[in-house]
Amino acid sequence: MDERDNHLFLLIKVWRIYVHTLVCFAAIQVYLFEYERRRSERRNLGNRTFSRLQIRSIEIQRITRASDTNCIWELRMDRNAFVMSCELLKTLGGLLDDGNVTIEEQVATFVHILAHHVKNRSIQVRFYRSGETISRYVHRVLLALLRLEDLLFVKPTPIPDDCMDSRWRWFKFVYVLSGWEGSSTDSRVLRDAINRQNGLKVPYGNYYLANAGYTNGQGFLAPYRGTRYHLQEWEDFDRAPRNHEEYFNMKHLQARNIIERCFGLLKKRWVVLRSSSFYPIRFQGRMVIACALLHNFIRMYMDVDPEEYTPITLEVANWGRHTK
């Protein structure tokens, strides 16, 4: 009986060892399977990350390096001007390459938003970036660009009568005041611009042309009121002026048409200025200044402005005529 008990005890002991071995083997198999699964996920994640980096790099190169045509279509400037803008924003504007987003991608994203008025989510799809990343770097580029106001806002200089440069009509902006409500009167906005500490300054002995919404004053010249002025008024009568007031208004209008065309080119170049924006109001005001600065930059660093040779549609010319 004792011998049978010993055999039974040994059999149970062997069976327990066998079961424990199977359990350990199964646990090892589960661990190895889970380890391999996580390793595969990390590998796939790395492949997806590499794929995103590759697609993003290809997209940036296609826009900024493939051809001047692509660069002008997407960013409104040629490749040389784009490189110059990145260098200026880096050296003078303080824009940094933190290793996550290159300066070229930061600038291209910002300018693309101004040129095409696209939403944050559209940029996410195109450049494989999160909305927070896009917003953060767009604000960085905007602040860096605003630091270049002293460089890009030109100093007004009179044009001599014997000027032979055909680009004298390439007017540039000297000052921009944004943020006023559209219902504000013209004189109130002008008064605010003049009275600011770093506001609009009129060079001594010169003047700015103003429309009939303003009054004549030191540094500002408005047309005669009650005298024909606009083109449709000249078409109803003989085109020759009949007195000195009409002659003055005709010359005033001819000069102002060039200025109006400059605003038309600005809105034609930057689609973000043509319609209601979906960005915060403070950001909208700064975007107007940024558009003027980039407009001046393009006219400084490009020998040929492609917008000069394409017609301005009536919709673009009339949009925002009375906005501040």
Side-chain angles (χ1 to χ4, degrees):
M1 190 68 180
D2 293 338
E3 186 176 354
R4 293 180 59 185
D5 291 341
N6 290 336
H7 283 294
L8 181 61
F9 177 76
L10 290 175
L11 182 61
I12 294 174
K13 189 174 182 180
V14 171
W15 175 254
R16 286 180 177 178
I17 294 174
Y18 177 73
V19 171
H20 289 167
T21 303
L22 289 178
V23 171
C24 292
F25 181 77
I28 293 173
Q29 290 295 325
V30 171
Y31 173 80
L32 292 176
F33 175 79
E34 185 67 18
Y35 173 79
E36 188 63 28
R37 185 183 66 82
R38 293 184 179 181
R39 183 180 178 184
S40 177
E41 288 181 353
R42 288 195 296 268
R43 188 186 305 112
N44 293 335
L45 180 61
N47 291 337
R48 289 198 299 269
T49 302
F50 176 76
S51 178
R52 288 185 176 185
L53 291 174
Q54 192 176 28
I55 294 174
R56 190 182 302 132
S57 177
I58 293 174
E59 184 69 12
I60 294 298
Q61 291 184 9
R62 186 184 66 83
I63 294 175
T64 63
R65 301 181 183 180
S67 66
D68 284 335
T69 302
N70 286 356
C71 200
I72 291 174
W73 283 350
E74 298 291 340
L75 307 179
R76 303 298 190 257
M77 63 184 79
D78 59 22
R79 291 174 293 179
N80 181 62
F82 177 75
V83 172
M84 289 294 299
S85 67
C86 294
E87 187 64 24
L88 284 177
L89 290 170
K90 178 181 178 181
T91 56
L92 301 180
L95 189 62
L96 300 177
D97 184 351
D98 58 3
N100 296 322
V101 182
T102 63
I103 291 180
E104 289 77 11
E105 183 181 348
Q106 296 179 44
V107 177
T109 301
F110 176 75
V111 178
H112 184 77
I113 290 175
L114 299 183
H116 302 278
H117 197 197
V118 294
K119 295 183 178 181
N120 185 303
R121 62 176 67 100
S122 299
I123 301 296
Q124 293 180 44
V125 174
R126 183 164 192 178
F127 294 103
Y128 287 88
R129 293 289 188 184
S130 67
E132 189 276 334
T133 299
I134 294 171
S135 178
R136 173 156 37 94
Y137 285 99
V138 163
H139 279 81
R140 288 186 182 182
V141 177
L142 176 61
L143 294 178
L145 182 60
L146 294 179
R147 297 189 188 105
L148 303 180
E149 285 188 0
D150 294 338
L151 174 66
L152 297 181
F153 276 148
V154 298
K155 303 299 184 292
T157 55
I159 300 174
D161 295 334
D162 58 348
C163 179
M164 301 299 294
D165 188 358
S166 60
R167 297 193 301 172
W168 72 270
R169 294 173 180 265
W170 286 28
F171 282 0
K172 306 178 185 69
F173 292 93
V174 299
Y175 179 80
V176 175
L177 175 63
S178 63
W180 271 93
E181 299 85 355
S183 58
S184 303
T185 60
D186 296 339
S187 58
R188 184 182 179 188
V189 177
L190 179 60
R191 189 183 310 114
D192 179 42
I194 296 175
N195 293 332
R196 288 174 177 256
Q197 182 177 1
N198 297 320
L200 178 63
K201 307 298 181 184
V202 183
Y204 180 77
N206 296 277
Y207 55 85
Y208 289 116
L209 297 181
N211 59 25
Y214 301 90
T215 58
N216 279 321
Q218 184 176 0
F220 299 94
L221 193 61
Y224 284 101
R225 297 187 179 184
T227 304
R228 59 176 176 165
Y229 180 76
H230 297 287
L231 290 177
Q232 59 268 27
E233 297 175 351
W234 288 90
E235 293 175 354
D236 297 337
F237 303 93
D238 184 11
R239 287 187 175 273
R242 295 173 296 184
N243 51 52
H244 70 280
E245 293 182 355
E246 289 189 352
Y247 181 79
F248 175 85
N249 279 8
M250 182 182 67
K251 293 299 183 181
H252 191 283
L253 175 63
Q254 291 175 352
R256 270 201 62 222
N257 278 342
I258 301 175
I259 301 173
E260 292 288 344
R261 188 173 186 276
C262 186
F263 281 96
L265 287 174
L266 180 71
K267 292 179 287 187
K268 178 174 174 289
R269 192 191 308 275
W270 309 115
V271 181
V272 72
L273 299 178
R274 299 186 205 168
S275 59
S276 301
S277 180
F278 27 75
Y279 292 99
I281 187 65
R282 184 178 181 184
F283 186 70
Q284 292 182 36
R286 291 179 173 180
M287 287 174 68
V288 175
I289 302 176
C291 290
L293 291 172
L294 288 174
H295 175 86
N296 285 4
F297 170 82
I298 290 173
R299 295 202 154 189
M300 289 177 181
Y301 292 94
M302 287 182 63
D303 295 331
V304 177
D305 186 354
E307 302 296 341
E308 283 283 346
Y309 304 100
T310 54
I312 301 175
T313 62
L314 184 62
E315 178 184 0
V316 173
N318 292 333
W319 184 90
R321 183 177 294 273
H322 302 292
T323 58
K324 304 298 183 290

